[in-house]
Structure formats: structure tokens, C-alpha cells
Amino acid sequence: ALNSLPINGWALNISGLKQVEISVDDNKVGTADIGTARPDVAKVFPDYSQNNSGFNYTLDTGKLTAGNHKITVTATGNDGTTSSQNVTIYRPAAMTDIDFPQNGLLFKGNSTNVGGWALNPSGVKQVNILVDSKQIGTAAIGDGRPDVAKVFPQYNDTKSGYHYTLDTSTIGGGKHTITVQAVGNDGSVQASSITITRPDSLLTIDSPQVNQSFDNQKSVNIGGWALDITGVKQVSIVVDTQPAVNITPGVPRQDVYNAYPDYNNKNSGYNYTLDLTKLGTGTHTITVTSTANSGQTVSSSRTIKVNNPLLVPVTSVSLNKTTDNLT
């Protein structure tokens, strides 16, 4: 960590040295300790008769922003005269890198390692892992990364690596952003992000067919298949505005597995027998919705035509009793 910087030197004044001030970017930050023996200086400048011209100061660099900064040392003599010297230092910027997973990766499994390295001039205190801007965990830090230290020796950090096992079983289909936030000991935060893609949710209605007509038929099978990379929790079937019927898929569909092996589901099928006798003559809409373990949903609809002329809805029955005298 680059939290401190020693500032050492010497100053001579014919009237004697009163003080040495340290400034950063023209703002005074402190006063150096003076009176350190410097016989080497006294030997070169014997006319000053000052053997203790050395000064020492430790500059706290933990709060300096990244970039160049001007350090000014101002020496004041007992007679009030001053002399100063400037030096420019460079404060390295914090850096965060994601080695894995690769940006744009199509990810199919239920977990993945998120790994990389982070550098901060003040040292790295914590590394946060976020998915779609929501923090889901904290990485382990302190992994040895001599390769990084070799490229960036000024950070003096040989253990800049981090690793985290990301559970992707609840991350639904589509694009998602993984963000790594490295927090420095000085409170500064530097982040890096990548995008991964998860396979989309899939839903198909195999039967009934689009606009299929049913004449005097008592029932029809609603069947198809549903896939999600996190697994399908349930399939809901709604006819028009009637209450939903929830079923659990699990019908073997080897054909679907062969076509979409990445989803690793051989039992993606669903079946439901719809009672047509309770539907009036006319057009009806069947909507199938699958809900994944991730909570993600996908829907598909079919319109069918029902013709049940013999089906007469009975709303009420009135029975008038008469008494006949039989002789």
C-alpha cells in the first residue's frame, strides 16, 4: 500500500533554520522535524557552520487523488527569509480487472468463478460482487498475483487477486451485468463490469393448433414443452379470463432434449385436458405461462373455436306440480 511518503532533505540559512513547512498542491499539510545531523552538507558548505541541517517528514498519501501532485518544501530562517523547492509526485490510480468470466460469454451452468485482481494505492480492503447492480456477495481477496505485481511494481502489492463462486442458478435468461467493486482502505471505490448472456426461456404450445375448431367435442389436450436454464417451476394455463390452472411439467420429451441439450432437461413436456363442455360456442383464447426457478416468466397464446350447439346452459329449473284425481 502506498499510504505514506518519506520526505527527507536539508536546508541552510545563514541566520539559522527556524522551520520547514510541507505543502501539497499549495496547501500546507505539516511541519517537518528539523535538526538531523548532516555532516556531509556541513562539509560542502562550511561557511554556514550548521552541522544539523537535515529535515524529515512522512506525508500521508492515503487521501490523495490519482494523478500528479506538487510537493513544496519551504525553509524559513530565523531572520524570516525563505527558500523553497518543488517536486512532482504521481499517485497511481486504482485499478480493477476481471479475468473471468470473459465479457460476452454465453453461460449455461449453475455456477461460475469470478476472478481477477484489484489494485489501490491505499491497499484493497474489500471486493464486492454485483449482478445487475445488486450486490450478491463479497469476494475472497489476497490471492497471490506476482504477474500483476511485476507489471505494476509501484503498488507494492503481490497479493492483488480475488475470487468468488457466483451462483447462477437464479439468474434468468438474457443479458446480465457482472460488476466487481474494489474498495480501498481510503474508502475509494473502483469498479469494472462485464456482460454475460444466459439462454432465454422457451415455451411452445404443440396442441391445439392455431384457430382449430372443435364441434361437439367434450375435451381437448393442451400440450407442449417449456425450458429454462434455471429449471421450470410451473406451467399455468388460462382460458379466457377463467382462474389459472397450475401444473408441474415433467412429461418426457426426448425430442426437445435432443434439440436443446444445453438446458439439460429430458422431461420438459406438459399436458392438460381442457373440458370443452363448459365453454360456450364461439372463440376462446388459451394462454400458457411458464415460470422459471429464477422467477422469470414467458407466455404463449392460442385461439380455438368451439361449436357446441347441443350444449344448452341450464340456469334454473322450475317444476310446477299438479294434482289429478284419478278414478
Side-chain angles (χ1 to χ4, degrees):
L2 308 177
N3 284 324
S4 62
L5 176 68
I7 299 176
N8 305 314
W10 53 269
L12 292 170
N13 190 291
I14 200 66
S15 67
L17 190 62
K18 181 180 180 181
Q19 72 174 14
V20 172
E21 290 181 340
I22 309 297
S23 297
V24 178
D25 300 327
D26 298 323
N27 296 311
K28 181 181 175 181
V29 295
T31 303
D33 295 328
I34 59 176
T36 304
R38 287 298 297 264
D40 56 328
V41 178
K43 185 176 181 180
V44 177
F45 301 100
D47 294 343
Y48 287 83
S49 301
Q50 295 172 12
N51 293 321
N52 301 317
S53 61
F55 65 82
N56 300 283
Y57 183 80
T58 300
L59 175 65
D60 179 7
T61 58
K63 295 182 180 179
L64 293 184
T65 57
N68 291 323
H69 296 276
K70 182 177 69 173
I71 307 298
T72 303
V73 178
T74 303
T76 303
N78 291 320
D79 60 1
T81 58
T82 64
S83 64
S84 63
Q85 185 177 355
N86 296 325
V87 63
T88 299
I89 65 170
Y90 175 74
R91 176 74 166 169
M95 293 186 289
T96 304
D97 183 76
I98 302 173
D99 290 336
F100 189 84
Q102 296 176 342
N103 188 44
L105 179 70
L106 175 62
F107 197 79
K108 306 165 187 174
N110 287 326
S111 67
T112 182
N113 176 54
V114 179
W117 52 269
L119 291 170
N120 190 294
S122 67
V124 174
K125 179 171 63 176
Q126 183 172 304
V127 172
N128 301 321
I129 307 297
L130 296 82
V131 176
D132 299 330
S133 301
K134 180 181 179 182
Q135 182 171 340
I136 49 91
T138 303
I141 61 176
D143 295 347
R145 289 299 298 262
D147 56 330
V148 178
K150 186 176 181 180
V151 178
F152 303 104
Q154 64 270 35
Y155 291 83
N156 192 30
D157 188 350
T158 60
K159 296 182 177 181
S160 61
Y162 65 83
H163 67 273
Y164 179 81
T165 301
L166 175 63
D167 178 9
T168 58
S169 64
T170 60
I171 299 178
K175 290 187 176 181
H176 300 275
T177 300
I178 297 176
T179 300
V180 176
Q181 277 183 348
V183 182
N185 289 317
D186 59 0
S188 62
V189 178
Q190 211 281 332
S192 182
S193 297
I194 62 165
T195 299
I196 65 168
T197 302
R198 297 279 279 164
D200 288 324
S201 299
L202 300 176
L203 174 68
T204 294
I205 301 174
D206 290 333
S207 64
Q209 301 300 309
V210 178
N211 293 324
Q212 187 173 353
S213 295
F214 298 93
D215 297 327
N216 298 317
Q217 193 167 323
K218 292 184 177 181
S219 65
V220 61
N221 178 63
I222 299 176
W225 53 268
L227 288 173
D228 189 274
I229 201 66
T230 66
V232 176
K233 183 165 57 177
Q234 73 174 22
V235 170
S236 300
I237 297 174
V238 174
V239 179
D240 299 330
T241 58
Q242 295 180 11
V245 175
N246 297 324
I247 60 176
T248 301
V251 177
R253 288 296 298 263
Q254 184 68 36
D255 57 332
V256 177
Y257 175 80
N258 293 342
Y260 301 99
D262 291 341
Y263 292 80
N264 194 30
N265 187 352
K266 295 184 177 180
N267 302 302
S268 62
Y270 64 85
N271 282 317
Y272 174 72
T273 301
L274 176 63
D275 183 357
L276 295 179
T277 65
K278 296 181 180 179
L279 297 181
T281 296
T283 301
H284 300 276
T285 301
I286 300 169
T287 300
V288 180
T289 301
S290 68
T291 302
N293 289 323
S294 66
Q296 194 162 318
T297 62
V298 60
S299 298
S300 183
S301 294
R302 284 282 166 89
T303 298
I304 62 172
K305 296 176 182 178
V306 176
N307 182 26
N308 284 326
L310 300 180
L311 181 63
V312 179
V314 178
T315 55
S316 64
V317 175
S318 177
L319 208 57
N320 293 322
K321 291 185 177 181
T322 57
T323 303
D324 292 331
N325 293 323
L326 300 177
T327 57

